[in-house]
């Protein structure tokens, strides 16, 4: 699995977190790393740019290029890396455009400023990306830059799967990432949490087990030839509870599919994935819907 990984970079802690995750992903799958800073379009403050404004814009661009040089210098020598300045009124749109320009396999962004270390909270850019990108988006937990796992390869990829349409595409993408990283694959079934009220504990357990076995059969059938995976049923009183009780390997990443509300080949972060983010201590990768999954021909 070669190709580019595009990091939406800013000279902030969040940008450093995204850089750390992007570099680790790039090294793990032998991908090229492209760091992108998005600036407002040149000359947008007036129809005729006067010399002082032009000088200011040149200063801003020079500063962005200096930040990129510093960031590229921090990337491990065995990871191919380039820095780029792009212009767009929207940072998210600029990152998506860069991802399409560089044929990116992943877009990487950091958590919002002020997020608890090791956890996720979507800022405005990340939120826009996970609700519109045609390219998978990787979300770096806060503090990734200082995490002891920052230099580690990816030991395991977990795919959070269900029985709804789209599981095949997610499992295939997770299997490809695990194979490229020489890691293992885990398929996790998050049991339904809308079990009818009034059922006793035994009935709830039976419902959970039945769902888990159903998922197990479906995902096994969807695995590419020669790929094996461990399967785990995550149970709890809520999505957050279920995720909190899962065990994670150091350096692991989790992949989720886009919501059924998403347009084909676009992302839309569903409610289950959003709830997972509250408890996840590892990076999350959100995978777009495919046209086949949406029933298009």
């Amino acid at each position: 699995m070669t190709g580019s990984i595009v990091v939406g970079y800013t000279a902030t802690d969040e940008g450093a977190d995204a850089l750390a995750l992007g570099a680790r992903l790039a090294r793990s799958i032998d991908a090229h790393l492209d760091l992108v800073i998005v600036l407002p379009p040149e000359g947008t403050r007036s129809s005729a740019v006067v010399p002082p404004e032009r000088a200011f814009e040149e200063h801003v661009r020079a500063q962005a290029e200096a930040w990129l040089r510093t960031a590229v210098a921090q990337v491990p020598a065995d990871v191919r890396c380039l820095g780029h300045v792009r212009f767009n009124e929207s940072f998210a749109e600029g990152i998506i455009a860069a991802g399409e320009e560089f044929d990116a396999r992943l877009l990487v962004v950091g958590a919002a400023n002020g997020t608890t270390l090791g956890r996720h909270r979507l800022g405005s850019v990340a939120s826009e990306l996970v609700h519109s990108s045609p390219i998978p988006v990787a979300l770096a937990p806060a503090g990734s830059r200082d995490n002891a796992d920052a230099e580690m390869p990816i030991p395991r990829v977990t795919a959070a799967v269900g029985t709804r349409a789209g599981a095949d595409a997610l499992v295939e993408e997770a299997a490809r990432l695990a194979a490229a990283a020489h890691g293992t694959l885990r398929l996790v079934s998050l049991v339904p949490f809308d079990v009818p009220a009034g059922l006793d504990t035994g009935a709830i357990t039976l419902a959970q087990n039945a769902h888990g076995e159903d998922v197990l059969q479906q995902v096994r059938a969807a695995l590419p030839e020669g790929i094996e995976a461990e399967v785990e049923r995550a149970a709890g009183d809520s999505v957050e509870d279920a995720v909190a009780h899962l065990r994670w390997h150091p350096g692991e990443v989790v992949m989720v599919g886009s919501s059924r509300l998403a347009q084909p080949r676009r992302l839309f972060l569903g409610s289950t994935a959003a709830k997972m983010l509250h408890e996840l201590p590892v990076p999350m990768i959100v995978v777009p819907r495919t046209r086949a999954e949406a029933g298009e021909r």
Side-chain angles (χ1 to χ4, degrees):
M1 178 185 285
T2 57
S4 172
I5 291 179
V6 168
V7 172
Y9 186 73
T10 56
T12 62
D13 289 345
E14 305 89 81
D17 289 338
L19 174 60
L21 176 59
R24 189 160 72 87
L25 288 166
R27 171 188 275 168
S28 295
I29 65 174
D30 190 26
H32 184 87
L33 194 62
D34 287 294
L35 310 186
V36 179
I37 287 181
V38 179
L39 299 177
E42 295 178 298
T44 56
R45 285 181 288 277
S46 70
S47 57
V49 181
V50 297
E53 184 174 358
R54 172 60 67 185
F56 175 75
E57 288 178 343
E58 291 175 352
H59 170 74
V60 171
R61 177 162 190 157
Q63 179 63 76
E65 291 173 344
W67 284 330
L68 285 170
R69 286 194 296 272
T70 300
V72 169
Q74 297 171 358
V75 175
D78 58 344
V79 176
R80 295 160 292 166
C81 181
L82 291 174
H84 313 270
V85 176
R86 292 293 183 267
F87 297 89
N88 199 295
E89 292 181 0
S90 162
F91 193 100
E93 288 181 3
I95 294 302
I96 291 172
E100 293 173 334
E101 176 186 349
F102 300 128
D103 194 24
R105 301 201 63 86
L106 289 169
L107 307 180
V108 186
V109 290
N113 184 34
T115 304
T116 302
L117 290 180
R119 297 297 180 182
H120 294 269
R121 186 163 64 86
L122 297 180
S124 58
V125 172
S127 182
E128 187 173 347
L129 286 174
V130 298
H131 289 97
S132 64
S133 176
I135 303 168
V137 173
L139 304 171
S144 295
R145 62 196 181 280
D146 297 322
N147 195 300
D149 305 338
E151 300 296 323
M152 289 187 60
I154 299 172
R156 183 171 70 177
V157 177
T158 286
V161 298
T163 55
R164 294 171 177 170
D168 291 4
L170 172 63
V171 169
E172 181 178 350
E173 191 70 22
R176 290 177 62 202
L177 179 60
H182 305 289
T184 59
L185 177 64
R186 176 174 66 160
L187 306 171
V188 168
S189 167
L190 294 173
V191 301
F193 298 101
D194 53 356
V195 178
L199 287 182
D200 60 27
T201 304
I204 293 175
T205 300
L206 286 174
Q208 293 173 343
N209 289 341
H211 172 76
E213 289 303 324
D214 190 19
V215 169
L216 175 60
Q217 292 177 14
Q218 291 195 34
V219 296
R220 276 183 172 166
L223 282 173
E225 185 176 354
I227 299 295
E228 297 183 357
E230 57 180 303
V231 179
E232 185 173 344
R233 295 192 298 270
D237 296 329
S238 65
V239 172
E240 294 91 339
D241 184 41
V243 172
H245 284 86
L246 288 171
R247 293 174 178 255
W248 304 97
H249 291 338
E252 185 168 357
V253 300
V254 62
M255 300 183 74
V256 300
S258 187
S259 165
R260 292 176 297 169
L261 298 175
Q263 294 298 313
R265 296 182 182 171
R266 288 293 186 275
L267 291 182
F268 192 95
L269 192 68
S271 59
T272 297
K275 292 174 182 176
M276 288 177 66
L277 275 176
H278 293 303
E279 292 295 335
L280 275 179
V282 300
M284 172 187 275
I285 299 174
V286 190
V287 179
R289 294 186 67 195
T290 64
R291 292 194 182 279
E293 161 194 345
E296 297 192 10
R297 297 293 184 267

